[in-house]
């Protein structure tokens, strides 16, 4: 995740922010145990049917030690264990980015507030309050607090999964309502901003199916940046650890192979 967010800043390519978002909203929560987030499992990948504590010998993983069971501490999973704890702070750092032209970029969408200096010679302070339930809702509002009318560019990321016409309105007036053909891009708004301006940005979400031809023509379903998963009954088995820091493996207890 952090590598993708850094690549977003270095390249200006929104596809890296897309990847960061997909990992944060789908894989990161699943990496921590659902009790008190006291343990992690090393590999958080799609189609993890069971999280056992066995070495894989068919070339699934590069490391020759168990990598799927929930384990606490760096003694089991080395560097990655403590990096999980930095996942959300890193994600929060990348919500807003300064741009080369003294503007601002909404790189990752989340309810937030940013205060920065913008405009000619970065001489004006602006606060933007972002209001949204994204990714569970497709509408994002940006409210501006600025002491004096100032021109600066605002960049809004258009995710690669968005295949419908996006809608942009400013102070209730529709400004843009078109479909963007690029896989991932940014919408640039160049205007003189005044105190009380409100930008409403709508990124329509629909249920989509993707076929993974290199994985035996398997399919996955998504809704915007969120991936659906099959609700498999789980059997949690304590396999070690201490009372405060237990170790678990998780096995399936219902049907899952519907191929």
């Amino acid at each position: 995740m952090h590598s993708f967010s850094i690549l977003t800043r270095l390249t200006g390519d929104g596809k890296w922010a897309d990847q960061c978002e997909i990992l944060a909203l789908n894989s990161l929560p699943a990496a921590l145990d659902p009790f008190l987030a006291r343990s992690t499992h090393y590999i958080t990948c799609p189609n993890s049917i069971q999280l056992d504590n066995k070495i894989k010998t068919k070339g699934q993983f590069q490391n020759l030690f168990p990598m799927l069971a929930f384990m606490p501490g760096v003694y089991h999973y080395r560097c990655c264990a403590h990096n999980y704890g930095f996942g959300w702070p890193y994600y929060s750092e990348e919500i807003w980015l300064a741009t080369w032209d003294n503007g601002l970029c909404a790189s990752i969408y989340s309810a937030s507030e940013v205060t920065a200096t913008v405009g000619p010679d970065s001489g004006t302070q602006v606060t933007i309050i972002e209001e949204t339930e994204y990714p569970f809702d497709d509408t994002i509002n940006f409210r501006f607090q600025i002491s004096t009318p100032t021109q600066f560019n605002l960049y809004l990321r258009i995710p690669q999964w968005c295949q419908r016409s996006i809608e942009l309105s400013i102070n209730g007036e529709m400004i843009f309502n078109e479909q963007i053909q690029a896989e991932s891009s940014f919408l640039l708004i160049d205007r003189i901003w005044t105190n009380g301006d409100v930008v409403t940005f709508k990124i329509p979400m629909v249920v989509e199916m993707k076929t993974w031809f290199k994985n035996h023509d398997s399919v996955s379903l998504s809704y915007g940046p969120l991936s659906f998963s099959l609700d498999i009954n789980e059997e949690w088995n304590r396999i070690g650890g201490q009372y405060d820091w237990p170790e678990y493996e998780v096995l399936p207890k219902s049907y899952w192979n519907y191929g």
Side-chain angles (χ1 to χ4, degrees):
M1 279 177 51
H2 194 41
S3 298
F4 290 147
S5 60
I6 291 175
L7 284 169
T8 302
R9 285 187 264 140
L10 292 176
T11 67
D13 193 332
K15 71 179 181 182
W16 301 115
D18 289 341
Q19 293 301 314
C20 182
E21 178 181 78
I22 289 171
L23 284 173
L25 299 180
N26 297 284
S27 295
L28 179 58
L32 305 173
D33 77 76
F35 306 116
L36 292 173
R38 294 176 295 182
S39 58
T40 63
H41 63 101
Y42 196 88
I43 298 295
T44 305
C45 56
N47 301 323
S48 294
I49 304 306
Q50 67 181 37
L51 307 179
D52 56 42
N53 193 37
K54 298 178 181 179
I55 298 174
K56 304 304 176 184
T57 60
K58 303 297 183 181
Q60 296 97 323
F61 307 128
Q62 185 177 18
N63 294 331
L64 296 179
F65 57 82
M67 302 176 68
L68 292 175
F70 282 103
M71 300 282 189
V74 297
Y75 298 107
H76 300 92
Y77 290 153
R78 303 181 299 185
C79 60
C80 293
H82 61 267
N83 277 325
Y84 284 119
F86 285 101
W88 291 119
Y90 283 153
Y91 189 79
S92 300
E93 282 185 336
E94 306 302 324
I95 293 175
W96 287 96
L97 302 177
T99 61
W100 65 274
D101 52 3
N102 297 328
L104 285 173
C105 172
S107 176
I108 293 175
Y109 297 118
S110 177
S112 60
E113 179 177 317
V114 63
T115 298
T117 52
V118 295
D121 301 320
S122 296
T124 304
Q125 180 173 291
V126 62
T127 295
I128 302 178
I129 301 171
E130 182 176 350
E131 301 170 340
T132 184
E133 296 294 328
Y134 184 92
F136 305 107
D137 187 73
D138 59 7
T139 301
I140 307 164
N141 290 311
F142 302 93
R143 301 186 182 277
F144 286 69
Q145 297 176 356
I146 191 168
S147 58
T148 183
T150 303
Q151 183 278 329
F152 68 91
N153 291 337
L154 176 67
Y155 297 79
L156 303 178
R157 179 174 59 90
I158 303 173
Q160 61 183 355
W161 51 259
C162 182
Q163 302 299 318
R164 300 292 190 274
S165 295
I166 60 174
E167 298 178 12
L168 176 76
S169 62
I170 300 178
N171 300 329
E173 179 183 353
M174 184 68 68
I175 302 297
F176 190 89
N177 185 4
E178 296 181 21
Q179 182 177 352
I180 304 297
Q181 299 298 326
E183 289 188 357
S184 182
S185 58
F186 291 90
L187 184 65
L188 169 61
I189 310 171
D190 179 5
R191 66 178 264 125
I192 297 175
W193 301 96
T194 60
N195 190 51
D197 280 344
V198 178
V199 173
T200 300
F201 188 46
K202 185 173 183 178
I203 319 172
M205 300 181 187
V206 296
V207 176
E208 294 184 327
M209 183 178 74
K210 180 176 181 179
T211 301
W212 301 85
F213 298 105
K214 293 184 179 181
N215 191 18
H216 308 290
D217 293 333
S218 59
V219 298
S220 61
L221 296 175
S222 60
Y223 181 72
L226 298 176
S227 297
F228 288 93
S229 61
L230 181 65
D231 187 13
I232 302 174
N233 294 335
E234 301 172 349
E235 177 184 296
W236 286 72
N237 297 323
R238 174 81 178 272
I239 58 175
Q242 303 173 358
Y243 175 79
D244 291 330
W245 302 99
E247 301 171 2
Y248 291 100
E249 67 175 5
V250 188
L251 306 179
K253 292 296 291 182
S254 60
Y255 293 112
W256 56 267
N257 189 357
Y258 292 95

